[in-house]
Amino acid sequence: MAMRKGELDSITITRPDDMHLHLRDGAALMDIVSYSAAVFGRAIIMPNLKKPIIKAAQAWGYYETIRAAVKYHGLGLNFEPLMTLYLTDSTTPADIREAKASKLVYGVKLYPAGATTNSENGVTQMKYAAPALAEMEKIGMPLLVHGEVTDPAVDIFDREQVFIDKVLIPLMIRFPFLRIVMEHITTKEAVQFVRGERSHVGATITAHHLLENRNAIFKGGIRPHYYCLPILKREVHRQALVEAATSGDTHFFLGTDSAPHAKGAKEAACGCAGCFTAPAALELYVEAFDSMGKLDKLEGFASHHGADFYGLPRNTGTVTLVREAWKVPDEVSFGDNVVVPFRAGEMMQWKMQ
Ligand code: DOR
Ligand code: ZN
């Protein structure tokens, strides 16, 4: 039965998973982890720390750190970090086998070198990653892709499309059985591409790319808290993402890409990329789905499709959100600093119960 926008005042879904999350480390991790751990059953944890996670032993250490931080906040039993490795030019097939054997690592992240935050150690040319990719294809380890080319001559708004044509398609021809997640897709071309593939290819979609287009970055002045990578695109692309996320298509699933940076690192002459959506993550998705009258499609997107892609059992508990106004905090502690959340100081219409 078709739903109308604003028809429901409460929604209960299976506990969701965040299939793309940046938790940082140290005191900053301690300050932010509970926003995600209180809501999501599991999260795919990005490996782009200042010293990236390139070996299984490091992933193990980071896992223990996150678990300890979650436990400190009294949320220990409810949140499972799903670790990832950071792919470099020198990742070996043995590194991949060790990661698989650890039973903690669920994917290997491709950052084209220079594409984004802490990507300096990423892959410079795909040919260097071929031995690792061949092993991943063989043992069924997913490749999680930051899908943007780094050529500064390519317009920043075109870098995802060009990546699909120049990097992703050749990669998929060479490794036809490699499981791939195109992370944080931002364009109608990426939607079309992923939709046309078999179920070994999936894509995450962030809440901020569902809710905002590129005008948000320039509304009345330059707004660094709307700057992320891949950058927000035109309205036509936002609409394609919303249609994909709310369509029920199992290729698409929730990945917040919540990526906190200290306030001063964003409000700067050369500000860092990343939107810190964790304090209102699920509420933001609910807003996007409700605006389409598609709240009935939220559970698949948030709680089923991602788990199914990764071959994990679906979570057993539930979460409930109610239509109730609350204000996003202006700032959140972030180690020695503060971080400004997405929609800081603004009213939300949905609230976690
Ligand atoms: O906006 C972003 N922030 N995009 C990324 O790919 C990385 C992330 C971060 O780590 O800050
Ligand atoms: Zn990310």
Side-chain angles (χ1 to χ4, degrees), residues 2 4 9 22 26 58 122 129 169 176 185 207 221 238 259 272 308 351:
R4 288 190 311 275
D9 285 328
H22 297 268
Q58 285 171 282
I169 291 175
I185 57 169
R238 188 192 72 80
C272 294
D308 296 352
K351 192 167 189 289

Side-chain angles (χ1 to χ4, degrees), residues 20 22 24 46 48 109 111 115-118 146 148 184 208 227-230 257-261 266 272-275:
H20 185 126
H22 297 268
R24 314 307 190 203
M46 287 296 126
N48 65 331
K109 180 73 189 273
Y111 287 108
T116 187
T117 309
N118 298 338
H146 183 109
E148 288 191 289
H184 42 55
H208 45 288
Y227 173 58
C228 63
L229 288 171
D257 198 16
S258 176
H261 291 273
K266 296 234 8 126
C272 294
C275 296

Side-chain angles (χ1 to χ4, degrees), residues 189-201:
E189 287 79 10
V191 166
Q192 273 159 15
F193 180 77
V194 170
R195 184 168 265 156
E197 289 300 320
R198 289 172 288 130
S199 62
H200 72 301
V201 177

Side-chain angles (χ1 to χ4, degrees), residues 3 8-13 282 286 289 294-299 318-323 350-353:
M3 266 186 166
L8 294 180
D9 285 328
S10 138
I11 177 170
T12 298
I13 60 169
L282 195 56
V286 172
F289 278 67
K294 289 282 179 69
L295 279 176
D296 57 327
K297 294 287 194 282
L298 181 68
E299 185 175 46
T318 58
V319 296
T320 297
L321 295 104
V322 292
R323 197 184 293 280
W350 285 88
K351 192 167 189 289
M352 281 284 297
Q353 256 196 342

Side-chain angles (χ1 to χ4, degrees), residues 44-191:
I44 292 276
I45 309 297
M46 287 296 126
N48 65 331
L49 301 183
K50 285 203 180 75
K51 185 168 187 291
I53 307 292
I54 58 172
K55 303 277 181 191
Q58 285 171 282
W60 174 259
Y62 190 28
Y63 173 86
E64 293 281 294
T65 306
I66 296 167
R67 291 283 285 185
V70 173
K71 198 166 167 202
Y72 174 84
H73 290 289
L75 298 161
L77 296 174
N78 295 325
F79 181 72
E80 179 70 7
L82 309 172
M83 309 311 293
T84 59
L85 282 197
Y86 182 116
L87 190 64
T88 72
D89 285 349
S90 36
T91 303
T92 64
D95 291 334
I96 301 299
R97 285 192 294 273
E98 265 173 43
K100 180 84 174 177
S102 76
K103 298 204 182 335
L104 289 177
V105 175
Y106 288 81
V108 176
K109 180 73 189 273
L110 165 63
Y111 287 108
T116 187
T117 309
N118 298 338
S119 64
E120 302 77 20
N121 299 295
V123 174
T124 59
Q125 290 186 52
M126 289 310 290
K127 64 181 181 192
Y128 298 132
L133 294 169
E135 188 66 21
M136 289 164 62
E137 181 182 42
K138 193 165 127 200
I139 66 178
M141 174 69 79
L143 178 71
L144 317 183
V145 174
H146 183 109
E148 288 191 289
V149 290
T150 52
D151 179 353
V154 177
D155 191 284
I156 189 169
F157 294 99
D158 297 335
R159 287 180 191 169
E160 183 172 280
Q161 275 165 264
V162 175
F163 181 90
I164 293 172
D165 294 338
K166 296 264 173 66
V167 184
L168 192 57
I169 291 175
L171 181 80
M172 289 171 62
I173 290 170
R174 179 144 182 210
F175 303 105
F177 299 105
L178 183 61
R179 299 177 62 71
I180 295 176
V181 182
M182 254 200 105
E183 301 290 348
H184 42 55
I185 57 169
T186 61
T187 57
K188 65 179 184 349
E189 287 79 10
V191 166

